[in-house]
Amino acid sequence: MNKRIGVVGIVIDDRQKVAGKVNSILSQHGDIILGRMGIPSREYNISVISLIVEGTPDELGSLTGKLGNLNGVTLKSALTSKEV
């Protein structure tokens, strides 16, 4: 499979509970992550992380599947149709 560029948006409901698990999963998939920006919102007790990724659909599925199985984590992802 050819690699494609994509984005992943992650919302974490309770940062104290799952931040370590999220960071561990992101580190495991660090080879497909090109960029990462995270913003905490203390007012709403959430954190938002945006990722720019380059990988195959299977690699992105592995990352998003593991993150999506964590309680308190909501995410959406999209891959472009452009192969790189």
Side-chain angles (χ1 to χ4, degrees), residues 9-41:
I10 306 164
V11 177
I12 301 170
D13 290 332
D14 188 352
R15 191 169 62 98
Q16 299 289 357
K17 261 186 169 176
V18 294
K21 294 175 186 176
V22 169
N23 283 322
S24 176
I25 292 168
L26 294 178
S27 293
Q28 292 169 16
H29 293 84
D31 55 323
I32 69 167
I33 298 173
L34 299 177
R36 170 184 174 173
M37 179 178 63
I39 300 182
S41 174

Side-chain angles (χ1 to χ4, degrees), residues 7-9 60 64 75-79:
V7 296
V8 180
L60 183 63
T64 58
L75 62 93
K76 291 290 182 184
S77 64
L79 279 177

Side-chain angles (χ1 to χ4, degrees), residues 33-50:
I33 298 173
L34 299 177
R36 170 184 174 173
M37 179 178 63
I39 300 182
S41 174
R42 289 175 185 83
E43 180 180 356
Y44 301 110
N45 195 32
I46 64 169
S47 294
V48 179
I49 300 172
S50 61

Side-chain angles (χ1 to χ4, degrees), residues 67-81:
L67 289 171
N69 282 330
L70 295 176
N71 287 332
V73 175
T74 306
L75 62 93
K76 291 290 182 184
S77 64
L79 279 177
T80 64
S81 58

